[in-house]
Amino acid sequence: MVKVGSALLTDPETGRINRSWLESLIEDLLRLRRRGQQVILVSSGAIALGRRQLGLPKGPLRLEESQAAAAVGQIRLAHAYKELLESRDITVAQVLLTLEDSERRHRYLNARATLETLLSLGALPVINENDTVATTEIRYGDNDRLAARVAQMAAADCLVLLSDVDGLYTADPNKDPEAGFIKEVLKITPEIEAMGGRSASDVGSGGMTTKILAARIAISAGCHMCIAAGHHRHPVSRIEDGARCTWFVPSATPIAARKQWIAGTLRPAGAVTIDPGAQRALLDGRSLLPAGVTGARGRFERGDTVSILSVEGTEIARGIVTYSDADAVKIMGRKSSEIEGILGFRGRDEMIHRDDLVLLNPEPALKESVGS
Ligand code: GLU
């Protein structure tokens, strides 16, 4: 995943899109895709582009002014991406998210499923915050944290924040000639946080502080994150060629981090009981299908974490459920192909997908007890 800031995307003099630079970035992204990597781009720039078009003055904007600017700028941004990508035979998809899409679980699951679908169909998602509807209280305001949340949602393994600085320093390098460059961060300590306490650049909203907050989200989701200077042409290839940047290194993979988080849920919202066949499938690393569910307890919504109980009532696993308790009861014991006929909509085939499921104490004894 790559995030570009407004300061790189727009020319500070004219307020227009830096087209030849953007083309070089797109070429970098397409090179990653040709290598078989899935690419998501998080792009700022809507407000910067729109304010010029609307003739708004320099300096801080009122909320309604920045929302108006975003409405005008986003369409220009989307147009530029469409032109640049479709002339290279890539389908571009615009995804506008709000804070709620990443914080509310069922919306999080929806956004995640959409991203997965777009990627599997070969489209290149270009993401921004939905600035025209996001009000102050419910707004990220900066695309650094938005990008980190999307990285978490998509279980991305790498997030590159292209910025107007080349990384993290022990002090402000413009003021302090002794300032040391930090190449790698394994843990976000209070010292690292203190290094983020400097002013933001004047075009985008994110400063070093929001980048460090983003790094915290990214590495806890098992995603590597890098802060690198973006103003050169081919900014992503430069990083691969060894250009200076700061890497934040996670201690787990994205899926392992998601599973740790699921296992650590303090109070699962409810529970489903499964039959011995489904239990065997789970132990073999497969998903839980409605066919193997024999009962549901508690009140839960799509996106909640639930316990998975064996016939004996022992909690053997936990996972994020894709149906509410009411729907789960209706489709339990039934084939996935029957779901649409029963519920009236075509939901997921799985009750709990294997990527969202973690076995608790998968001991060999348990495996024997289910008669494998
Ligand atoms: N979403 C804002 C925009 O597109 C930018 C936020 C940021 O600067 O990080 O204009």
Side-chain angles (χ1 to χ4, degrees):
M1 272 188 60
V2 177
K3 178 256 167 181
V4 275
S6 310
L8 298 171
L9 218 115
T10 55
D11 184 319
E13 297 301 316
T14 63
R16 289 176 203 276
I17 292 183
N18 268 327
R19 225 178 158 87
S20 83
W21 173 85
L22 187 56
E23 267 181 72
S24 81
L25 169 69
I26 299 278
E27 279 158 22
D28 282 0
L29 301 184
L30 299 192
R31 206 167 59 86
L32 301 178
R33 283 174 49 115
R34 282 196 294 274
R35 253 186 356 219
Q37 287 169 292
Q38 292 185 318
V39 177
I40 298 176
L41 180 65
V42 176
S43 175
S44 308
I47 297 174
L49 289 172
R51 67 187 293 160
R52 169 188 168 271
Q53 184 73 22
L54 290 171
L56 290 165
K58 282 204 156 41
L61 296 176
R62 294 202 310 268
L63 176 66
E64 58 274 25
E65 288 173 329
S66 52
Q67 291 184 314
V72 169
Q74 184 62 35
I75 201 164
R76 285 179 163 65
L77 203 56
H79 186 75
Y81 283 115
K82 178 179 180 293
E83 266 186 14
L84 288 172
L85 284 158
E86 295 199 346
S87 64
R88 291 164 174 84
D89 289 329
I90 305 293
T91 303
V92 59
Q94 169 180 271
V95 181
L96 299 179
L97 296 173
T98 60
L99 183 70
E100 283 207 304
D101 294 321
S102 67
E103 308 277 291
R104 303 283 292 268
R105 279 165 302 195
H106 62 286
R107 294 193 37 180
Y108 172 97
L109 277 193
N110 284 344
R112 191 175 101 187
T114 308
L115 280 177
E116 278 168 7
T117 308
L118 285 169
L119 290 170
S120 69
L121 294 172
L124 198 154
V126 176
I127 297 178
N128 198 356
E129 181 160 16
N130 195 349
D131 291 307
T132 44
V133 296
T135 54
T136 323
E137 313 80 66
I138 54 148
R139 186 160 190 263
Y140 278 103
D142 67 89
N143 276 2
D144 296 323
R145 281 176 302 159
L146 175 72
R149 284 288 186 200
V150 174
Q152 177 183 46
M153 200 183 266
D157 44 29
C158 183
L159 167 65
V160 174
L161 298 183
L162 293 176
S163 150
D164 49 0
V165 290
D166 60 357
L168 188 61
Y169 290 83
T170 53
D172 186 344
N174 297 318
K175 297 198 188 117
D176 184 349
E178 304 282 288
F181 187 78
I182 300 188
K183 276 166 92 172
E184 194 177 71
V185 177
L186 299 175
K187 191 160 182 272
I188 300 181
T189 59
E191 290 76 32
I192 296 288
E193 266 173 352
M195 292 170 200
R198 291 195 307 273
S199 65
S201 79
D202 53 359
V203 188
S205 321
M208 200 43 86
T209 316
T210 63
K211 292 186 174 47
I212 289 175
L213 291 172
R216 192 185 276 290
I217 298 168
I219 62 175
S220 68
C223 177
H224 284 73
M225 193 191 99
C226 147
I227 302 173
H231 42 269
H232 307 270
R233 286 175 57 80
H234 295 289
V236 180
S237 301
R238 276 189 81 249
I239 301 171
E240 289 190 293
D241 294 342
R244 180 149 101 159
C245 62
T246 300
W247 279 104
F248 293 83
V249 182
S251 56
T253 63
I255 296 294
R258 184 186 288 169
K259 292 195 174 202
Q260 274 166 19
W261 177 80
I262 295 168
T265 308
L266 291 181
R267 240 159 43 90
V272 291
T273 308
I274 63 172
D275 66 22
Q279 183 165 350
R280 265 197 304 279
L282 259 46
L283 293 173
D284 287 342
R286 282 184 293 189
S287 300
L288 176 64
L289 302 178
V293 176
T294 55
R297 275 217 310 260
R299 299 297 303 270
F300 52 84
E301 286 302 317
R302 167 174 155 75
D304 281 337
T305 300
V306 296
S307 297
I308 301 174
L309 309 178
S310 68
V311 183
E312 297 83 28
T314 323
E315 184 182 31
I316 53 170
R318 275 184 192 183
I320 301 176
V321 70
T322 55
Y323 291 94
S324 67
D325 58 294
D327 287 346
V329 170
K330 289 185 201 146
I331 60 173
M332 68 191 194
R334 309 290 284 267
K335 290 203 192 76
S336 298
S337 56
E338 295 176 277
I339 296 175
E340 190 172 6
I342 300 167
L343 298 180
F345 63 90
R346 190 169 157 207
R348 287 246 155 168
D349 285 352
E350 305 86 16
M351 183 77 82
I352 300 179
H353 190 272
R354 61 193 164 96
D355 286 348
D356 295 329
L357 190 151
V358 54
L359 295 173
L360 307 171
N361 307 317
E363 286 152 14
L366 185 63
K367 215 168 177 171
E368 278 156 29
S369 75
V370 294
S372 59

PDB file of all heavy atoms in Angstrom, residues 27-53:
ATOM      1  N   GLU A  27       3.646   4.416 -12.588  1.00  0.00           N
ATOM      2  CA  GLU A  27       4.506   3.392 -13.211  1.00  0.00           C
ATOM      3  C   GLU A  27       5.128   2.488 -12.155  1.00  0.00           C
ATOM      4  O   GLU A  27       5.216   1.276 -12.334  1.00  0.00           O
ATOM      5  CB  GLU A  27       5.586   4.053 -14.085  1.00  0.00           C
ATOM      6  CG  GLU A  27       5.027   4.434 -15.450  1.00  0.00           C
ATOM      7  CD  GLU A  27       5.826   5.531 -16.144  1.00  0.00           C
ATOM      8  OE1 GLU A  27       7.018   5.711 -15.786  1.00  0.00           O
ATOM      9  OE2 GLU A  27       5.250   6.192 -17.014  1.00  0.00           O
ATOM     10  N   ASP A  28       5.532   3.082 -11.052  1.00  0.00           N
ATOM     11  CA  ASP A  28       6.086   2.272  -9.944  1.00  0.00           C
ATOM     12  C   ASP A  28       5.048   1.257  -9.456  1.00  0.00           C
ATOM     13  O   ASP A  28       5.354   0.089  -9.222  1.00  0.00           O
ATOM     14  CB  ASP A  28       6.454   3.160  -8.752  1.00  0.00           C
ATOM     15  CG  ASP A  28       7.773   3.891  -8.951  1.00  0.00           C
ATOM     16  OD1 ASP A  28       8.398   3.700 -10.008  1.00  0.00           O
ATOM     17  OD2 ASP A  28       8.163   4.647  -8.046  1.00  0.00           O
ATOM     18  N   LEU A  29       3.809   1.733  -9.299  1.00  0.00           N
ATOM     19  CA  LEU A  29       2.767   0.856  -8.756  1.00  0.00           C
ATOM     20  C   LEU A  29       2.462  -0.282  -9.740  1.00  0.00           C
ATOM     21  O   LEU A  29       2.250  -1.424  -9.334  1.00  0.00           O
ATOM     22  CB  LEU A  29       1.483   1.643  -8.467  1.00  0.00           C
ATOM     23  CG  LEU A  29       1.605   2.811  -7.479  1.00  0.00           C
ATOM     24  CD1 LEU A  29       0.235   3.424  -7.226  1.00  0.00           C
ATOM     25  CD2 LEU A  29       2.223   2.363  -6.156  1.00  0.00           C
ATOM     26  N   LEU A  30       2.487   0.053 -11.007  1.00  0.00           N
ATOM     27  CA  LEU A  30       2.191  -0.987 -11.996  1.00  0.00           C
ATOM     28  C   LEU A  30       3.314  -2.020 -12.052  1.00  0.00           C
ATOM     29  O   LEU A  30       3.069  -3.200 -12.298  1.00  0.00           O
ATOM     30  CB  LEU A  30       1.936  -0.370 -13.375  1.00  0.00           C
ATOM     31  CG  LEU A  30       0.733   0.589 -13.416  1.00  0.00           C
ATOM     32  CD1 LEU A  30       0.358   0.934 -14.837  1.00  0.00           C
ATOM     33  CD2 LEU A  30      -0.479  -0.001 -12.682  1.00  0.00           C
ATOM     34  N   ARG A  31       4.512  -1.576 -11.765  1.00  0.00           N
ATOM     35  CA  ARG A  31       5.640  -2.525 -11.724  1.00  0.00           C
ATOM     36  C   ARG A  31       5.419  -3.531 -10.578  1.00  0.00           C
ATOM     37  O   ARG A  31       5.653  -4.722 -10.718  1.00  0.00           O
ATOM     38  CB  ARG A  31       6.936  -1.746 -11.490  1.00  0.00           C
ATOM     39  CG  ARG A  31       8.175  -2.434 -12.026  1.00  0.00           C
ATOM     40  CD  ARG A  31       9.343  -1.477 -12.042  1.00  0.00           C
ATOM     41  NE  ARG A  31       9.634  -0.949 -10.712  1.00  0.00           N
ATOM     42  CZ  ARG A  31      10.403  -1.560  -9.824  1.00  0.00           C
ATOM     43  NH1 ARG A  31      10.991  -2.684 -10.116  1.00  0.00           N
ATOM     44  NH2 ARG A  31      10.601  -1.029  -8.634  1.00  0.00           N
ATOM     45  N   LEU A  32       4.919  -3.026  -9.441  1.00  0.00           N
ATOM     46  CA  LEU A  32       4.630  -3.931  -8.315  1.00  0.00           C
ATOM     47  C   LEU A  32       3.551  -4.928  -8.713  1.00  0.00           C
ATOM     48  O   LEU A  32       3.629  -6.113  -8.407  1.00  0.00           O
ATOM     49  CB  LEU A  32       4.152  -3.148  -7.080  1.00  0.00           C
ATOM     50  CG  LEU A  32       5.091  -2.091  -6.498  1.00  0.00           C
ATOM     51  CD1 LEU A  32       4.417  -1.394  -5.326  1.00  0.00           C
ATOM     52  CD2 LEU A  32       6.399  -2.721  -6.048  1.00  0.00           C
ATOM     53  N   ARG A  33       2.543  -4.424  -9.413  1.00  0.00           N
ATOM     54  CA  ARG A  33       1.457  -5.326  -9.830  1.00  0.00           C
ATOM     55  C   ARG A  33       1.949  -6.383 -10.803  1.00  0.00           C
ATOM     56  O   ARG A  33       1.539  -7.532 -10.714  1.00  0.00           O
ATOM     57  CB  ARG A  33       0.316  -4.518 -10.459  1.00  0.00           C
ATOM     58  CG  ARG A  33      -0.531  -3.812  -9.413  1.00  0.00           C
ATOM     59  CD  ARG A  33      -1.562  -2.912 -10.058  1.00  0.00           C
ATOM     60  NE  ARG A  33      -2.310  -3.591 -11.096  1.00  0.00           N
ATOM     61  CZ  ARG A  33      -3.614  -3.851 -11.040  1.00  0.00           C
ATOM     62  NH1 ARG A  33      -4.318  -3.502  -9.986  1.00  0.00           N
ATOM     63  NH2 ARG A  33      -4.220  -4.439 -12.040  1.00  0.00           N
ATOM     64  N   ARG A  34       2.819  -5.980 -11.705  1.00  0.00           N
ATOM     65  CA  ARG A  34       3.339  -6.970 -12.671  1.00  0.00           C
ATOM     66  C   ARG A  34       4.111  -8.067 -11.951  1.00  0.00           C
ATOM     67  O   ARG A  34       4.209  -9.187 -12.413  1.00  0.00           O
ATOM     68  CB  ARG A  34       4.233  -6.278 -13.714  1.00  0.00           C
ATOM     69  CG  ARG A  34       3.425  -5.551 -14.789  1.00  0.00           C
ATOM     70  CD  ARG A  34       4.273  -5.210 -15.997  1.00  0.00           C
ATOM     71  NE  ARG A  34       5.312  -4.247 -15.682  1.00  0.00           N
ATOM     72  CZ  ARG A  34       5.143  -2.926 -15.688  1.00  0.00           C
ATOM     73  NH1 ARG A  34       3.975  -2.404 -16.006  1.00  0.00           N
ATOM     74  NH2 ARG A  34       6.133  -2.119 -15.385  1.00  0.00           N
ATOM     75  N   ARG A  35       4.656  -7.707 -10.786  1.00  0.00           N
ATOM     76  CA  ARG A  35       5.370  -8.709  -9.985  1.00  0.00           C
ATOM     77  C   ARG A  35       4.406  -9.586  -9.208  1.00  0.00           C
ATOM     78  O   ARG A  35       4.803 -10.424  -8.410  1.00  0.00           O
ATOM     79  CB  ARG A  35       6.226  -7.959  -8.966  1.00  0.00           C
ATOM     80  CG  ARG A  35       7.638  -8.008  -9.298  1.00  0.00           C
ATOM     81  CD  ARG A  35       8.597  -7.436  -8.330  1.00  0.00           C
ATOM     82  NE  ARG A  35       8.190  -6.772  -7.154  1.00  0.00           N
ATOM     83  CZ  ARG A  35       8.819  -5.678  -6.687  1.00  0.00           C
ATOM     84  NH1 ARG A  35       9.834  -5.168  -7.339  1.00  0.00           N
ATOM     85  NH2 ARG A  35       8.440  -5.129  -5.563  1.00  0.00           N
ATOM     86  N   GLY A  36       3.110  -9.321  -9.329  1.00  0.00           N
ATOM     87  CA  GLY A  36       2.119 -10.149  -8.642  1.00  0.00           C
ATOM     88  C   GLY A  36       1.681  -9.580  -7.290  1.00  0.00           C
ATOM     89  O   GLY A  36       0.938 -10.225  -6.561  1.00  0.00           O
ATOM     90  N   GLN A  37       2.120  -8.365  -6.956  1.00  0.00           N
ATOM     91  CA  GLN A  37       1.709  -7.793  -5.676  1.00  0.00           C
ATOM     92  C   GLN A  37       0.393  -7.038  -5.833  1.00  0.00           C
ATOM     93  O   GLN A  37       0.135  -6.438  -6.880  1.00  0.00           O
ATOM     94  CB  GLN A  37       2.808  -6.850  -5.168  1.00  0.00           C
ATOM     95  CG  GLN A  37       4.022  -7.604  -4.678  1.00  0.00           C
ATOM     96  CD  GLN A  37       5.203  -6.687  -4.423  1.00  0.00           C
ATOM     97  OE1 GLN A  37       5.766  -6.113  -5.345  1.00  0.00           O
ATOM     98  NE2 GLN A  37       5.580  -6.555  -3.174  1.00  0.00           N
ATOM     99  N   GLN A  38      -0.437  -7.093  -4.810  1.00  0.00           N
ATOM    100  CA  GLN A  38      -1.690  -6.342  -4.854  1.00  0.00           C
ATOM    101  C   GLN A  38      -1.405  -4.935  -4.338  1.00  0.00           C
ATOM    102  O   GLN A  38      -0.704  -4.779  -3.333  1.00  0.00           O
ATOM    103  CB  GLN A  38      -2.736  -7.019  -3.984  1.00  0.00           C
ATOM    104  CG  GLN A  38      -3.165  -8.359  -4.567  1.00  0.00           C
ATOM    105  CD  GLN A  38      -4.295  -8.985  -3.789  1.00  0.00           C
ATOM    106  OE1 GLN A  38      -4.282  -8.962  -2.557  1.00  0.00           O
ATOM    107  NE2 GLN A  38      -5.259  -9.553  -4.480  1.00  0.00           N
ATOM    108  N   VAL A  39      -1.950  -3.943  -5.026  1.00  0.00           N
ATOM    109  CA  VAL A  39      -1.612  -2.563  -4.681  1.00  0.00           C
ATOM    110  C   VAL A  39      -2.872  -1.764  -4.359  1.00  0.00           C
ATOM    111  O   VAL A  39      -3.864  -1.835  -5.077  1.00  0.00           O
ATOM    112  CB  VAL A  39      -0.868  -1.888  -5.858  1.00  0.00           C
ATOM    113  CG1 VAL A  39      -0.569  -0.428  -5.532  1.00  0.00           C
ATOM    114  CG2 VAL A  39       0.413  -2.635  -6.192  1.00  0.00           C
ATOM    115  N   ILE A  40      -2.790  -1.015  -3.262  1.00  0.00           N
ATOM    116  CA  ILE A  40      -3.850  -0.064  -2.906  1.00  0.00           C
ATOM    117  C   ILE A  40      -3.178   1.298  -2.768  1.00  0.00           C
ATOM    118  O   ILE A  40      -2.108   1.403  -2.166  1.00  0.00           O
ATOM    119  CB  ILE A  40      -4.512  -0.444  -1.560  1.00  0.00           C
ATOM    120  CG1 ILE A  40      -5.180  -1.819  -1.648  1.00  0.00           C
ATOM    121  CG2 ILE A  40      -5.511   0.616  -1.134  1.00  0.00           C
ATOM    122  CD1 ILE A  40      -5.774  -2.299  -0.319  1.00  0.00           C
ATOM    123  N   LEU A  41      -3.805   2.327  -3.308  1.00  0.00           N
ATOM    124  CA  LEU A  41      -3.244   3.668  -3.179  1.00  0.00           C
ATOM    125  C   LEU A  41      -4.175   4.506  -2.306  1.00  0.00           C
ATOM    126  O   LEU A  41      -5.385   4.507  -2.508  1.00  0.00           O
ATOM    127  CB  LEU A  41      -3.112   4.296  -4.573  1.00  0.00           C
ATOM    128  CG  LEU A  41      -2.531   5.711  -4.641  1.00  0.00           C
ATOM    129  CD1 LEU A  41      -1.081   5.724  -4.172  1.00  0.00           C
ATOM    130  CD2 LEU A  41      -2.616   6.254  -6.057  1.00  0.00           C
ATOM    131  N   VAL A  42      -3.608   5.186  -1.327  1.00  0.00           N
ATOM    132  CA  VAL A  42      -4.384   6.145  -0.547  1.00  0.00           C
ATOM    133  C   VAL A  42      -3.924   7.515  -0.993  1.00  0.00           C
ATOM    134  O   VAL A  42      -2.734   7.831  -0.902  1.00  0.00           O
ATOM    135  CB  VAL A  42      -4.155   5.956   0.973  1.00  0.00           C
ATOM    136  CG1 VAL A  42      -4.888   7.034   1.763  1.00  0.00           C
ATOM    137  CG2 VAL A  42      -4.622   4.577   1.399  1.00  0.00           C
ATOM    138  N   SER A  43      -4.834   8.287  -1.533  1.00  0.00           N
ATOM    139  CA  SER A  43      -4.421   9.571  -2.091  1.00  0.00           C
ATOM    140  C   SER A  43      -5.140  10.732  -1.436  1.00  0.00           C
ATOM    141  O   SER A  43      -6.363  10.788  -1.387  1.00  0.00           O
ATOM    142  CB  SER A  43      -4.697   9.588  -3.589  1.00  0.00           C
ATOM    143  OG  SER A  43      -4.403  10.859  -4.113  1.00  0.00           O
ATOM    144  N   SER A  44      -4.364  11.668  -0.930  1.00  0.00           N
ATOM    145  CA  SER A  44      -4.906  12.944  -0.452  1.00  0.00           C
ATOM    146  C   SER A  44      -4.972  13.872  -1.653  1.00  0.00           C
ATOM    147  O   SER A  44      -4.725  13.458  -2.772  1.00  0.00           O
ATOM    148  CB  SER A  44      -3.976  13.563   0.589  1.00  0.00           C
ATOM    149  OG  SER A  44      -3.682  12.637   1.594  1.00  0.00           O
ATOM    150  N   GLY A  45      -5.264  15.107  -1.392  1.00  0.00           N
ATOM    151  CA  GLY A  45      -5.186  16.105  -2.457  1.00  0.00           C
ATOM    152  C   GLY A  45      -6.523  16.713  -2.842  1.00  0.00           C
ATOM    153  O   GLY A  45      -6.559  17.709  -3.561  1.00  0.00           O
ATOM    154  N   ALA A  46      -7.638  16.129  -2.357  1.00  0.00           N
ATOM    155  CA  ALA A  46      -8.948  16.647  -2.761  1.00  0.00           C
ATOM    156  C   ALA A  46      -9.119  18.093  -2.290  1.00  0.00           C
ATOM    157  O   ALA A  46      -9.518  18.975  -3.073  1.00  0.00           O
ATOM    158  CB  ALA A  46     -10.045  15.768  -2.189  1.00  0.00           C
ATOM    159  N   ILE A  47      -8.799  18.333  -1.032  1.00  0.00           N
ATOM    160  CA  ILE A  47      -9.034  19.679  -0.495  1.00  0.00           C
ATOM    161  C   ILE A  47      -8.093  20.683  -1.172  1.00  0.00           C
ATOM    162  O   ILE A  47      -8.508  21.762  -1.600  1.00  0.00           O
ATOM    163  CB  ILE A  47      -8.897  19.674   1.043  1.00  0.00           C
ATOM    164  CG1 ILE A  47      -9.988  18.761   1.632  1.00  0.00           C
ATOM    165  CG2 ILE A  47      -8.985  21.084   1.607  1.00  0.00           C
ATOM    166  CD1 ILE A  47      -9.912  18.532   3.124  1.00  0.00           C
ATOM    167  N   ALA A  48      -6.831  20.284  -1.324  1.00  0.00           N
ATOM    168  CA  ALA A  48      -5.857  21.186  -1.960  1.00  0.00           C
ATOM    169  C   ALA A  48      -6.290  21.551  -3.389  1.00  0.00           C
ATOM    170  O   ALA A  48      -6.202  22.713  -3.795  1.00  0.00           O
ATOM    171  CB  ALA A  48      -4.477  20.544  -1.961  1.00  0.00           C
ATOM    172  N   LEU A  49      -6.784  20.565  -4.137  1.00  0.00           N
ATOM    173  CA  LEU A  49      -7.206  20.850  -5.521  1.00  0.00           C
ATOM    174  C   LEU A  49      -8.483  21.683  -5.555  1.00  0.00           C
ATOM    175  O   LEU A  49      -8.618  22.606  -6.355  1.00  0.00           O
ATOM    176  CB  LEU A  49      -7.462  19.544  -6.276  1.00  0.00           C
ATOM    177  CG  LEU A  49      -6.254  18.695  -6.631  1.00  0.00           C
ATOM    178  CD1 LEU A  49      -6.711  17.356  -7.197  1.00  0.00           C
ATOM    179  CD2 LEU A  49      -5.379  19.416  -7.640  1.00  0.00           C
ATOM    180  N   GLY A  50      -9.410  21.345  -4.678  1.00  0.00           N
ATOM    181  CA  GLY A  50     -10.714  22.007  -4.696  1.00  0.00           C
ATOM    182  C   GLY A  50     -10.647  23.448  -4.229  1.00  0.00           C
ATOM    183  O   GLY A  50     -11.374  24.299  -4.734  1.00  0.00           O
ATOM    184  N   ARG A  51      -9.769  23.743  -3.295  1.00  0.00           N
ATOM    185  CA  ARG A  51      -9.730  25.111  -2.761  1.00  0.00           C
ATOM    186  C   ARG A  51      -9.245  26.082  -3.827  1.00  0.00           C
ATOM    187  O   ARG A  51      -9.683  27.221  -3.894  1.00  0.00           O
ATOM    188  CB  ARG A  51      -8.904  25.203  -1.485  1.00  0.00           C
ATOM    189  CG  ARG A  51      -7.415  24.967  -1.653  1.00  0.00           C
ATOM    190  CD  ARG A  51      -6.717  24.921  -0.309  1.00  0.00           C
ATOM    191  NE  ARG A  51      -6.748  26.230   0.338  1.00  0.00           N
ATOM    192  CZ  ARG A  51      -6.564  26.423   1.628  1.00  0.00           C
ATOM    193  NH1 ARG A  51      -6.336  25.388   2.433  1.00  0.00           N
ATOM    194  NH2 ARG A  51      -6.605  27.618   2.146  1.00  0.00           N
ATOM    195  N   ARG A  52      -8.353  25.583  -4.681  1.00  0.00           N
ATOM    196  CA  ARG A  52      -7.875  26.443  -5.760  1.00  0.00           C
ATOM    197  C   ARG A  52      -9.021  26.722  -6.734  1.00  0.00           C
ATOM    198  O   ARG A  52      -9.286  27.851  -7.112  1.00  0.00           O
ATOM    199  CB  ARG A  52      -6.721  25.746  -6.478  1.00  0.00           C
ATOM    200  CG  ARG A  52      -6.339  26.426  -7.745  1.00  0.00           C
ATOM    201  CD  ARG A  52      -5.326  25.626  -8.532  1.00  0.00           C
ATOM    202  NE  ARG A  52      -5.229  26.198  -9.859  1.00  0.00           N
ATOM    203  CZ  ARG A  52      -5.989  25.847 -10.875  1.00  0.00           C
ATOM    204  NH1 ARG A  52      -6.894  24.912 -10.737  1.00  0.00           N
ATOM    205  NH2 ARG A  52      -5.857  26.437 -12.035  1.00  0.00           N
ATOM    206  N   GLN A  53      -9.722  25.657  -7.109  1.00  0.00           N
ATOM    207  CA  GLN A  53     -10.815  25.778  -8.059  1.00  0.00           C
ATOM    208  C   GLN A  53     -11.896  26.742  -7.554  1.00  0.00           C
ATOM    209  O   GLN A  53     -12.478  27.500  -8.314  1.00  0.00           O
ATOM    210  CB  GLN A  53     -11.408  24.382  -8.287  1.00  0.00           C
ATOM    211  CG  GLN A  53     -12.481  24.299  -9.314  1.00  0.00           C
ATOM    212  CD  GLN A  53     -11.915  24.432 -10.729  1.00  0.00           C
ATOM    213  OE1 GLN A  53     -10.735  24.192 -10.945  1.00  0.00           O
ATOM    214  NE2 GLN A  53     -12.767  24.840 -11.655  1.00  0.00           N
TER     215      GLN A  53
END
